[in-house]
PDB file of all heavy atoms in Angstrom:
ATOM      1  N   LEU A  10       0.563   2.193  -0.810  1.00 53.00           N
ATOM      2  CA  LEU A  10       1.327   3.431  -0.870  1.00 53.00           C
ATOM      3  C   LEU A  10       0.772   4.446   0.111  1.00 53.00           C
ATOM      4  O   LEU A  10      -0.439   4.588   0.259  1.00 53.00           O
ATOM      5  CB  LEU A  10       1.270   4.026  -2.284  1.00 53.00           C
ATOM      6  CG  LEU A  10       1.920   3.181  -3.375  1.00 53.00           C
ATOM      7  CD1 LEU A  10       1.664   3.806  -4.732  1.00 53.00           C
ATOM      8  CD2 LEU A  10       3.409   3.070  -3.128  1.00 53.00           C
ATOM      9  N   GLY A  14       4.296  12.015   5.010  1.00 52.00           N
ATOM     10  CA  GLY A  14       3.801  12.530   6.280  1.00 52.00           C
ATOM     11  C   GLY A  14       2.579  11.782   6.796  1.00 52.00           C
ATOM     12  O   GLY A  14       1.986  12.154   7.787  1.00 52.00           O
ATOM     13  N   GLY A  16       0.841   8.416   8.321  1.00 52.00           N
ATOM     14  CA  GLY A  16       1.179   7.210   9.061  1.00 52.00           C
ATOM     15  C   GLY A  16       0.204   6.097   8.735  1.00 52.00           C
ATOM     16  O   GLY A  16      -0.405   6.058   7.665  1.00 52.00           O
ATOM     17  N   PRO A  21      -2.014  11.087  10.554  1.00 60.00           N
ATOM     18  CA  PRO A  21      -0.707  11.753  10.515  1.00 60.00           C
ATOM     19  C   PRO A  21       0.379  10.892  11.140  1.00 60.00           C
ATOM     20  O   PRO A  21       0.133  10.169  12.097  1.00 60.00           O
ATOM     21  CB  PRO A  21      -0.933  13.023  11.338  1.00 60.00           C
ATOM     22  CG  PRO A  21      -2.409  13.262  11.299  1.00 60.00           C
ATOM     23  CD  PRO A  21      -3.025  11.895  11.185  1.00 60.00           C
ATOM     24  N   GLY A  23       3.237   9.444  13.328  1.00 59.00           N
ATOM     25  CA  GLY A  23       3.506   9.597  14.750  1.00 59.00           C
ATOM     26  C   GLY A  23       2.262   9.475  15.621  1.00 59.00           C
ATOM     27  O   GLY A  23       2.366   9.479  16.828  1.00 59.00           O
ATOM     28  N   ALA A  26      -3.975   5.584  15.970  1.00 58.00           N
ATOM     29  CA  ALA A  26      -5.433   5.592  16.013  1.00 58.00           C
ATOM     30  C   ALA A  26      -5.931   4.359  15.301  1.00 58.00           C
ATOM     31  O   ALA A  26      -5.211   3.720  14.555  1.00 58.00           O
ATOM     32  CB  ALA A  26      -5.981   6.850  15.354  1.00 58.00           C
ATOM     33  N   ALA A  44     -21.472   9.160  57.840  1.00 96.00           N
ATOM     34  CA  ALA A  44     -21.967   8.149  58.783  1.00 96.00           C
ATOM     35  C   ALA A  44     -23.490   8.176  58.810  1.00 96.00           C
ATOM     36  O   ALA A  44     -24.103   9.246  58.794  1.00 96.00           O
ATOM     37  CB  ALA A  44     -21.404   8.414  60.171  1.00 96.00           C
ATOM     38  N   SER A  45     -24.100   7.017  58.860  1.00 96.00           N
ATOM     39  CA  SER A  45     -25.557   6.948  58.911  1.00 96.00           C
ATOM     40  C   SER A  45     -26.086   7.662  60.154  1.00 96.00           C
ATOM     41  O   SER A  45     -27.153   8.278  60.121  1.00 96.00           O
ATOM     42  CB  SER A  45     -26.030   5.502  58.873  1.00 96.00           C
ATOM     43  OG  SER A  45     -25.551   4.795  59.996  1.00 96.00           O
ATOM     44  N   LEU A  48     -26.711  11.215  59.389  1.00 95.00           N
ATOM     45  CA  LEU A  48     -27.930  11.417  58.597  1.00 95.00           C
ATOM     46  C   LEU A  48     -29.177  11.251  59.451  1.00 95.00           C
ATOM     47  O   LEU A  48     -30.104  12.064  59.393  1.00 95.00           O
ATOM     48  CB  LEU A  48     -28.001  10.406  57.448  1.00 95.00           C
ATOM     49  CG  LEU A  48     -27.177  10.650  56.216  1.00 95.00           C
ATOM     50  CD1 LEU A  48     -27.309   9.472  55.266  1.00 95.00           C
ATOM     51  CD2 LEU A  48     -27.607  11.923  55.532  1.00 95.00           C
ATOM     52  N   VAL A  68     -34.041   2.310  59.489  1.00 98.00           N
ATOM     53  CA  VAL A  68     -33.221   1.286  60.132  1.00 98.00           C
ATOM     54  C   VAL A  68     -34.147   0.151  60.539  1.00 98.00           C
ATOM     55  O   VAL A  68     -35.168   0.372  61.178  1.00 98.00           O
ATOM     56  CB  VAL A  68     -32.503   1.856  61.380  1.00 98.00           C
ATOM     57  CG1 VAL A  68     -31.635   0.786  62.033  1.00 98.00           C
ATOM     58  CG2 VAL A  68     -31.669   3.070  61.008  1.00 98.00           C
ATOM     59  N   ILE A  75     -32.745   0.346  54.942  1.00 98.00           N
ATOM     60  CA  ILE A  75     -33.622   0.065  53.817  1.00 98.00           C
ATOM     61  C   ILE A  75     -34.047   1.404  53.219  1.00 98.00           C
ATOM     62  O   ILE A  75     -34.491   2.297  53.960  1.00 98.00           O
ATOM     63  CB  ILE A  75     -34.892  -0.706  54.244  1.00 98.00           C
ATOM     64  CG1 ILE A  75     -34.513  -1.988  54.923  1.00 98.00           C
ATOM     65  CG2 ILE A  75     -35.832  -0.891  53.065  1.00 98.00           C
ATOM     66  CD1 ILE A  75     -34.817  -3.251  54.205  1.00 98.00           C
TER      67      ILE A  75
END
Side-chain angles (χ1 to χ4, degrees):
L10 296 174
S45 62
L48 281 175
V68 181
I75 303 249

